[in-house]
Amino acid sequence: MGVQDTLLQKGTRESLQQSPWRSEDTYVTAGAFMCCSMGTHEEVLNKLDPNGIYINGSPMLTVNDCAVSSSEAGVIKQNFAETTFPVNRMGQEIDGNFYSFGFCRSVVHPMKMAEGAYPGMAADSSYIFDPDQSEPTFSKFIYPCAPKLLPTVSPSAPSGAPFKKADTSNGPFGLPSLSFSDVLANFNLPQTQWTNGSPSVSIQGVPALTSKSCLFCQYGGKIQLLTNGMDPAPPEFSAR
């Protein structure tokens, strides 16, 4: 089954996004399917480390479960334009909560930008021609997706949460010691996490992931859930 045979159909995506469970503030477990508004394929959301909280045998997820699998940094050089463009290519291992959404339709995808330096010439051989006639990019070059998430602040983070207290037991000369993550928490700086976590349920102090959660990619994509990991997925997904 080839890439074009497994394309996420717009009708499937719209049907799932209008499913009854999405109108409720339901929780999400490992195995949930999601999509990116700029991507060509659905992806599965997994849990890296067990947290001991399960629904029907599947671990519940939190707003922190958004690690993208490793990618490799590189460059594309357009000899004609004498310009180089930094790009990322997905690695061989699925070592994050998710991997890739197939191919990216964004006009600001690095390979698309490289292509624009010399119009009509593909940035490299990794492209496909978009086969979806309903998309503005139909029959144009599109390139592999390597998600680059934007930092967000979950609006469900508890307001007035106590600051992390300094640990005086392991600081040098008995001085207070704070980890970098504690410093981030204290100053409420943006972190990469799902938005719209549960306002009332948390797991180890982190808001639970909900049906309304989303992520954002720096190339303009909005990543949303298609299923909650508990309800049956469409047969076409399991057949791939």
Side-chain angles (χ1 to χ4, degrees):
M1 190 175 288
V3 170
Q4 299 189 15
D5 299 318
T6 58
L7 215 67
L8 175 59
Q9 300 299 316
K10 187 171 291 187
T12 300
R13 183 179 66 195
E14 291 176 349
S15 174
L16 289 171
Q17 289 178 330
Q18 295 170 6
S19 298
W21 70 270
R22 291 187 60 83
S23 63
E24 304 171 1
D25 202 11
T26 62
Y27 304 117
V28 178
T29 67
F33 284 91
M34 55 186 185
C35 70
C36 175
S37 60
M38 292 293 178
T40 57
H41 290 72
E42 74 278 359
E43 176 60 317
V44 180
L45 185 59
N46 294 305
K47 180 69 179 170
L48 293 177
D49 301 310
N51 56 23
I53 308 299
Y54 297 84
I55 298 179
N56 297 333
S58 295
M60 283 182 66
L61 300 175
T62 73
V63 295
N64 284 346
D65 291 314
C66 58
V68 182
S69 291
S70 300
S71 59
E72 301 168 356
V75 296
I76 287 179
K77 183 176 182 180
Q78 289 290 29
N79 292 327
F80 296 96
E82 296 183 351
T83 306
T84 58
F85 296 85
V87 299
N88 280 76
R89 303 176 192 275
M90 296 306 297
Q92 297 300 313
E93 300 294 328
I94 301 178
D95 55 5
N97 296 114
F98 62 96
Y99 187 73
S100 168
F101 296 95
F103 289 78
C104 180
R105 296 186 171 105
S106 171
V107 295
V108 295
H109 186 284
M111 293 185 189
K112 200 68 180 176
M113 300 289 284
E115 175 195 318
Y118 196 75
M121 184 175 184
D124 70 7
S125 60
S126 64
Y127 70 88
I128 64 169
F129 290 106
D130 192 348
D132 193 334
Q133 298 185 30
S134 67
E135 294 290 343
T137 48
F138 171 61
S139 78
K140 297 180 181 179
F141 299 125
I142 54 176
Y143 299 91
C145 159
K148 298 284 285 184
L149 300 182
L150 288 171
T152 54
V153 176
S154 172
S156 63
S159 59
F163 278 22
K164 294 284 186 177
K165 294 182 179 180
D167 183 357
T168 59
S169 64
N170 58 6
F173 310 108
L175 296 175
S177 172
L178 277 176
S179 69
F180 181 68
S181 60
D182 290 342
V183 173
L184 285 179
N186 284 349
F187 285 96
N188 197 28
L189 296 178
Q191 302 174 57
T192 301
Q193 59 181 188
W194 291 88
T195 66
N196 299 313
S198 172
S200 57
V201 174
S202 63
I203 300 173
Q204 297 174 354
V206 182
L209 196 65
T210 74
S211 54
K212 298 178 182 178
S213 298
C214 59
L215 291 166
F216 299 92
C217 176
Q218 71 179 38
Y219 305 135
K222 182 178 182 180
I223 299 168
Q224 294 178 288
L225 292 154
L226 292 174
T227 67
N228 59 12
M230 294 172 279
D231 294 341
E236 65 189 84
F237 287 2
S238 55
R240 297 175 181 174

